[in-house]
Amino acid sequence: MSMDLDTPVYMTGMQQEAAPIATILCCNCGAPIDGTTSAGALCQDCVRLTVDVSQGIQREATLHTCRDCERWLQPPNSWVVANPESKELLAICLRKLTGLNKVRIIDASFIWTEPHSRRVKVKITIQQEAFEGTIVQQTFEVEYVVANQQCTDCAKSYTHHSWRASLQVRQKVPHKRTFLYLEQLILKNGVHKDTLNIKEAKNGIDFYFAHRNQAEKMLDFLCSVAPCKYVKSSELISEDIHTAKKSYKFSFSVEIVPLCRDDIVALPIKLARQLGNISPLTICHRVGTAVNLMDPQTLQTAELPTGTYWRSPFKSLADVTELKEFIIMDIELVGKSNGRYHLAEATVARASDLGSNDTTYFTRTHLGGVLHVGDSCLGYHLTDTNFNDPNFDAIESSNQYKDQIPDVVLIKKNYARKKKPKNRAWRLRRMAREHEEEALAAASGAAQSRKQEQEQARLEADFEMFLRDVEEDQELRGTLDLYKNRNRPQKPGGDEMDEDSDSDDEVPKINMDELLDDFDELNMNEQ
């Protein structure tokens, strides 16, 4: 049967579905492709090779960091803390690129570069629809140049009127043990991060802040951990008479109660009766938001609130710098205990009197659980000491209390140590501060140099005393963060020296499980 070519042909629905798909050749590589697609005359492989979906996105940019505080500039004008190769820094890098908001980001990661190269490389994977129904995925690299730029806060620290609020903390005692403990609490809670500068003063520390609320935050923290009082003051810096705007500097003067742990305290007799009729001659065994006192002869305790103290302030009768060494000749428990301390009757002799005379002293002590015959301990020798204290004079002239004054008041056990401080397996963090002696370095001279050496020796002695308190008191150690010391000397084989090899057996040892990883290593892990 013949059919005319001009005669139209009608096909059924089944015949239409079976009609062959139009196939064309790729104009680039000649591969057969579907001609009905909107990708034109290009196959999928040629589309990926010829179409650049990352066109218009920056391949080079600049990152600004502050050399002093090590923060990064986040446009338009905010400075944020970001560790190298962190998600915070990656977000800053992506925000720096123009045109990136027009595509879909699939993945982004850092490419390792040398730390000294001042370069940051990021590999970014994006997707975009090149033609209708055709999605192209592409990966490219962006290189950032790290440039130094001083942030606004650091710029203020080098100019006049750099700070807006200052916090002056003082305690009138002859040692720095309280401030060393406060330093550790501040570092543990991170309340020093907003400070512009920390300066060492004669009887305390000065903190400087850029805003008033930052100083008030530090003030609230100090009042929550130490018994203190404070005074606020303000100073007018400038005033705009047209807009009535004024600029002030705020100062907070904080004074800590001058009573420290292990001090012996002579209370006013009237105050002692108000505190549960405790003996006026007590020792300070703990300092928190209030001062905790204890009678070493009866184990009776009392709490001296901060407000009560400042209504009628007084000083300690003697502090730790006046402790004397005694040897336990005989000791016997009397059975009374309050959980931590055990009451005992002891016969002691001064360590300096051994071999020269046989003078001994009888006393009651709260250290019955830790002292044994032959042990060395530290205490206050009241018999041969003259105190210029009106409260102690009132106790001596009182018929009720003059017979209760002991010859010796024992404070703590003394551990035999080497003259040179031992190499400890742990260490503490320290705050970066500016000493007043550094500011006076321009005043050269033999007298000034000698004064600085004496001050440095006193600070080292106070720090060594604090480290010994940390070793000997487990309760105190539980409130601090102790870190492993990775800078200890090593044996010839490469192993770290055992702490027992260079220290006395009697000195309390700190369990290595109580120590945190070294803070330098923690910073590297965070980075």
Side-chain angles (χ1 to χ4, degrees):
M1 178 180 175
S2 61
M3 181 180 296
D4 192 356
L5 295 176
D6 295 332
T7 304
V9 179
Y10 299 95
M11 294 184 294
T12 63
M14 295 296 294
Q15 292 173 331
Q16 291 178 3
E17 292 179 1
I21 300 175
T23 302
I24 63 175
L25 300 179
C26 176
C27 64
N28 191 16
C29 64
I33 58 175
D34 183 7
T36 61
T37 61
S38 59
L42 293 175
C43 64
Q44 296 290 341
D45 295 336
C46 292
V47 169
R48 286 193 294 266
L49 292 175
T50 57
V51 177
D52 185 10
V53 296
S54 65
Q55 187 176 6
I57 302 177
Q58 287 181 264
R59 299 302 177 94
E60 294 181 354
T62 303
L63 294 176
H64 294 90
T65 179
C66 180
R67 182 180 298 174
D68 297 325
C69 63
E70 298 182 355
R71 293 186 297 176
W72 298 83
L73 176 61
Q74 178 175 304
N77 193 24
S78 61
W79 294 84
V80 298
V81 178
N83 294 322
E85 298 190 5
S86 63
K87 59 181 181 180
E88 293 82 6
L89 182 58
L90 184 60
I92 296 175
C93 294
L94 297 180
R95 291 192 184 100
K96 294 283 291 185
L97 301 180
T98 58
L100 199 60
N101 57 343
K102 299 179 182 180
V103 297
R104 181 184 179 186
I105 301 176
I106 301 300
D107 186 26
S109 60
F110 287 99
I111 300 176
W112 186 86
T113 57
E114 291 287 348
H116 63 273
S117 65
R118 309 292 291 178
R119 297 292 186 274
V120 175
K121 292 185 179 181
V122 179
K123 182 174 68 174
I124 305 175
T125 302
I126 61 173
Q127 280 185 356
Q128 190 180 23
E129 188 176 14
F131 302 98
E132 184 179 354
T134 303
I135 298 177
V136 178
Q137 178 172 314
Q138 188 173 355
T139 301
F140 60 96
E141 296 181 3
V142 179
E143 182 176 341
Y144 299 85
V145 178
V146 180
N148 292 325
Q149 179 177 335
Q150 195 174 52
C151 66
T152 55
D153 294 336
C154 293
K156 290 180 180 180
S157 64
Y158 293 98
T159 58
H160 190 54
H161 298 316
S162 61
W163 54 271
R164 285 293 178 267
S166 66
L167 183 67
Q168 301 174 351
V169 187
R170 299 290 185 270
Q171 186 187 34
K172 297 178 181 179
V173 293
H175 54 80
K176 293 281 188 178
R177 295 169 63 208
T178 302
F179 293 101
L180 291 172
Y181 179 64
L182 285 178
E183 178 185 15
Q184 298 304 315
L185 294 181
I186 290 172
L187 289 170
K188 182 176 182 179
N189 294 274
V191 294
H192 68 296
K193 295 181 178 179
D194 297 328
T195 56
L196 294 178
N197 191 16
I198 303 175
K199 182 178 293 186
E200 186 88 11
K202 182 179 180 181
N203 292 320
I205 304 177
D206 294 342
F207 300 91
Y208 297 92
F209 302 89
H211 304 284
R212 176 183 178 181
N213 60 344
Q214 296 173 348
E216 291 177 342
K217 181 181 177 181
M218 173 74 80
L219 177 64
D220 294 339
F221 174 79
L222 292 177
C223 293
S224 66
V225 298
C228 56
K229 69 174 182 178
Y230 60 89
V231 178
K232 298 181 181 179
S233 62
S234 59
E235 178 186 358
L236 180 64
I237 300 176
S238 61
E239 180 181 3
D240 190 344
I241 59 175
H242 302 286
T243 60
K245 291 185 178 180
K246 300 179 181 179
S247 179
Y248 288 92
K249 272 187 175 182
F250 301 93
S251 298
F252 301 88
S253 179
V254 182
E255 185 175 356
I256 301 177
V257 171
L259 301 178
C260 301
R261 186 169 170 264
D262 297 336
D263 287 357
I264 185 170
V265 179
L267 296 172
I269 296 179
K270 182 179 179 181
L271 179 60
R273 290 171 180 171
Q274 294 176 356
L275 299 177
N277 200 23
I278 192 173
S279 173
L281 194 63
T282 60
I283 61 174
C284 178
H285 71 96
R286 184 178 177 272
V287 178
T289 54
V291 180
N292 295 296
L293 305 173
M294 182 178 62
D295 181 6
Q297 301 188 76
T298 62
L299 299 185
Q300 182 183 359
T301 59
E303 184 177 281
L304 178 61
T306 306
T308 303
Y309 173 83
W310 289 116
R311 281 194 292 269
S312 56
F314 55 90
K315 295 183 179 180
S316 60
L317 187 63
D319 54 61
V320 293
T321 59
E322 303 176 40
L323 289 172
K324 307 296 182 181
E325 184 180 358
F326 295 88
I327 304 298
I328 303 296
M329 310 302 294
D330 187 19
I331 188 169
E332 181 179 357
L333 297 176
V334 297
K336 190 174 181 180
S337 172
N338 62 358
R340 181 180 179 182
Y341 300 107
H342 299 267
L343 191 62
E345 295 179 348
T347 302
V348 299
R350 289 188 58 175
S352 59
D353 293 342
L354 294 180
S356 60
N357 58 62
D358 298 332
T359 305
T360 59
Y361 305 93
F362 176 81
T363 184
R364 282 196 167 197
T365 179
H366 61 292
L367 303 175
V370 296
L371 293 180
H372 304 86
V373 176
D375 286 349
S376 173
C377 59
L378 298 177
Y380 297 103
H381 196 186
L382 305 184
T383 301
D384 297 339
T385 307
N386 294 324
F387 298 102
N388 186 15
D389 190 280
N391 295 328
F392 186 73
D393 296 339
I395 296 173
E396 287 184 321
S397 60
S398 173
N399 295 328
Q400 182 181 358
Y401 298 109
K402 65 180 181 179
D403 296 334
Q404 299 180 9
I405 300 177
D407 296 333
V408 174
V409 178
L410 302 182
I411 298 299
K412 60 181 178 180
K413 184 177 180 179
N414 183 35
Y415 297 93
R417 300 175 184 265
K418 297 182 178 180
K419 294 183 179 180
K420 185 178 180 180
K422 65 180 182 179
N423 186 27
R424 295 177 173 89
W426 55 275
R427 61 173 175 165
L428 298 172
R429 294 178 62 186
R430 301 300 306 273
M431 288 191 304
R433 67 183 78 183
E434 177 184 348
H435 295 271
E436 285 189 345
E437 290 76 9
E438 296 178 1
L440 299 175
S444 59
Q448 181 67 24
S449 177
R450 185 165 55 253
K451 181 180 178 181
Q452 292 182 5
E453 293 178 358
Q454 293 175 356
E455 181 67 17
Q456 183 65 25
R458 187 181 66 85
L459 293 175
E460 292 178 357
D462 290 343
F463 187 63
E464 176 64 23
M465 185 187 304
F466 178 71
L467 294 180
R468 294 184 180 184
D469 290 341
V470 173
E471 286 178 335
E472 298 171 5
D473 192 345
Q474 186 176 2
E475 182 180 355
L476 173 64
R477 193 162 62 244
T479 61
L480 309 179
D481 283 343
L482 277 64
Y483 296 88
K484 297 177 182 177
N485 187 7
R486 299 299 184 187
N487 297 327
R488 303 181 66 205
Q490 295 184 351
K491 296 179 181 179
D495 299 332
E496 291 187 358
M497 295 181 61
D498 188 7
E499 187 176 0
D500 296 339
S501 62
D502 59 347
S503 63
D504 299 281
D505 295 335
E506 296 182 358
V507 178
K509 306 299 187 302
I510 298 179
N511 192 351
M512 295 297 292
D513 297 335
E514 302 180 25
L515 304 180
L516 303 175
D517 289 334
D518 187 72
F519 51 84
D520 293 334
E521 294 183 357
L522 291 176
N523 294 336
M524 292 297 294
N525 294 334
E526 292 176 357
Q527 294 176 2

